[in-house]
Amino acid sequence: MHVLSLQELTGEQIMQLVKKAIDIKKHPENYYHACFRKGLLMLFQKTSTRTMLSFHSGIAQMGGYAVLMDWNNSNFSISPIQYEARYVSTNCDVIMARLKKHSDLQELAKYSLVPVINGCCEKFHPTQALADLMTIYEVAGTFQGVTLTYVGIHNNIANSLVQACIKVGMKLNLVTPIVNESSWDESLMKEAENSGLVTRTTDLAQAVCESNFIYTDTWIDMEYFNDPSYEQERNVRIKTMSKYQLNRQNLQGFTPCIMHDMPIHPGYEIEEELIEAPESIIYTQAENRMHAEKALLLHLLQAENSKVEGGPVHQVELTI
């Protein structure tokens, strides 16, 4: 199986992953050989800190190894994906790909012989959402009766939080005045509306007062943040979003747990004071990327082992 978004997982499977991740975090020594000699190909088309380090460290800490491949310095950049996918998947046990287009991830998964994990694309960031769920569960001990508010641009993070909350039954407020067109998923948002769990609003004050957790993200995608050609759009976003900054004034005295998936741009989506505030769980959230990804790697590798062990046995008669 592949995990290109959280749609591939059931609510029960997500809960199992969250609990497994917490156990791995508490007892890492129990998993030192869980991925013995298993290979992870990490394919990057975009920059990364947390995804690169957490996957690399995670597989190594469980006895496996990672191979880092830069899309632009490999033949993925000059050949149809299907041919490269067929080859690279014979040299590893799992592929984690951080690509610009979800359609390219789908193509990679279509032709890969091993599970493919979406390490972030323009539509979804499932491994981040798993870490987010793990972090919330560590703090609250449940998803029932918990309200998460996401305030920022409607992007891949927002989509994955929508999927996550629907799957585990957690209430989600979306305060997203601007939508990344490339991220918008009409069918997902219809599902969100029908779920009764997701509310879209521009009333930040109301959302804050009912939030147990409040989450923000960059207003400008990382690949465009320092791009001179994006300056006009950057200025429009800053002007529109400034009144939605996560700051003490907008929190109105409430102290929900503060979340951010990083990288952080202090003074834009969040004021600097809140990053280090007592109610901030940003660094725990970032650390949990590795533990959640370990759980996901184990889940996929065990599923592959079950397929092999449960598959048909072909006998070949040799004539000498």
Side-chain angles (χ1 to χ4, degrees):
M1 69 174 292
H2 307 294
V3 177
L4 306 187
S5 75
L6 293 186
Q7 294 294 72
E8 288 94 343
L9 298 169
T10 66
E12 182 180 357
Q13 286 174 326
I14 289 173
M15 283 301 308
Q16 290 171 352
L17 286 170
V18 166
K19 291 177 180 179
K20 174 66 76 174
I22 291 172
D23 186 65
I24 291 170
K25 183 177 181 178
K26 289 179 178 177
H27 307 288
E29 68 280 0
N30 292 342
Y31 300 88
Y32 283 165
H33 304 290
C35 293
F36 180 64
R37 298 183 71 177
K38 294 296 184 180
L40 170 67
L41 173 64
M42 305 196 306
L43 180 60
F44 285 91
Q45 195 178 29
K46 302 198 296 182
T47 61
S48 174
T49 299
R50 275 145 296 281
T51 301
M52 184 181 295
L53 181 58
S54 58
F55 267 105
H56 199 291
S57 300
I59 191 77
Q61 289 180 17
M62 295 193 295
Y65 64 92
V67 175
L68 176 62
M69 182 176 289
D70 185 316
W71 176 283
N72 294 320
N73 289 324
S74 74
N75 289 334
F76 273 101
S77 64
I78 61 173
S79 177
I81 291 173
Q82 69 181 84
Y83 306 125
E84 294 297 291
R86 287 286 294 276
Y87 166 68
V88 300
S89 61
T90 64
N91 282 253
C92 60
D93 299 286
V94 183
I95 297 172
M96 185 281 297
R98 186 182 182 94
L99 306 184
K100 293 179 180 179
K101 295 181 179 179
H102 189 68
S103 57
D104 285 345
L105 271 157
Q106 291 174 314
E107 187 80 354
L108 179 66
K110 180 179 179 180
Y111 292 99
S112 173
L113 304 174
V114 299
V116 173
I117 299 171
N118 179 358
C120 185
C121 66
E122 87 284 18
K123 282 193 175 294
F124 304 106
H125 199 346
T127 59
Q128 179 64 58
L130 284 175
D132 298 337
L133 289 178
M134 175 188 174
T135 307
I136 291 169
Y137 198 82
E138 278 185 308
V139 173
T142 184
F143 296 121
Q144 304 307 309
V146 173
T147 298
L148 168 66
T149 291
Y150 173 84
V151 51
I153 305 295
H154 190 107
N155 57 12
N156 53 355
I157 292 293
N159 283 342
S160 288
L161 289 175
V162 168
Q163 290 179 331
C165 289
I166 291 174
K167 294 284 187 178
V168 301
M170 182 166 58
K171 190 171 186 293
L172 174 66
N173 292 322
L174 290 176
V175 185
T176 52
I178 295 177
V179 175
N180 279 348
E181 289 185 15
S182 60
S183 302
W184 185 254
D185 187 318
E186 186 67 29
S187 62
L188 173 62
M189 295 315 296
K190 285 182 179 178
E191 182 183 356
E193 183 179 351
N194 294 334
S195 73
L197 291 165
V198 181
T199 301
R200 297 185 69 205
T201 179
T202 56
D203 190 345
L204 178 57
Q206 178 60 39
V208 164
C209 73
E210 60 184 47
S211 299
N212 305 106
F213 298 82
I214 191 160
Y215 192 139
T216 192
D217 188 17
T218 182
W219 297 337
I220 297 101
D221 290 347
M222 61 185 77
E223 60 259 44
Y224 300 123
F225 197 80
N226 295 312
D227 185 347
S229 66
Y230 199 74
E231 185 175 0
Q232 183 176 353
E233 176 64 20
R234 182 175 181 272
N235 291 338
V236 168
R237 290 188 173 210
I238 291 171
K239 182 178 180 181
T240 301
M241 297 300 300
S242 290
K243 66 179 181 179
Y244 295 96
Q245 183 190 70
L246 208 54
N247 55 41
R248 288 293 182 196
Q249 181 179 345
N250 279 335
L251 288 179
Q252 313 164 80
F254 292 98
T255 55
C257 293
I258 305 295
M259 303 180 73
H260 192 306
D261 60 306
M262 305 179 87
I264 298 169
H265 301 110
Y268 291 91
E269 70 272 8
I270 187 171
E271 70 176 354
E272 192 163 7
E273 178 200 344
L274 289 184
I275 301 167
E276 306 288 351
E279 61 269 34
S280 170
I281 54 174
I282 292 171
Y283 295 117
T284 300
Q285 180 186 1
E287 177 195 342
N288 284 345
R289 286 289 304 278
M290 181 178 70
H291 308 303
E293 288 158 7
K294 283 182 176 181
L296 181 59
L297 286 167
L298 287 175
H299 174 77
L300 294 175
L301 288 169
Q302 287 167 359
E304 287 299 296
N305 287 340
S306 296
K307 279 169 50 180
V308 172
E309 292 170 3
V313 177
H314 299 284
Q315 294 183 337
V316 178
E317 183 176 334
L318 299 178
T319 303
I320 301 176

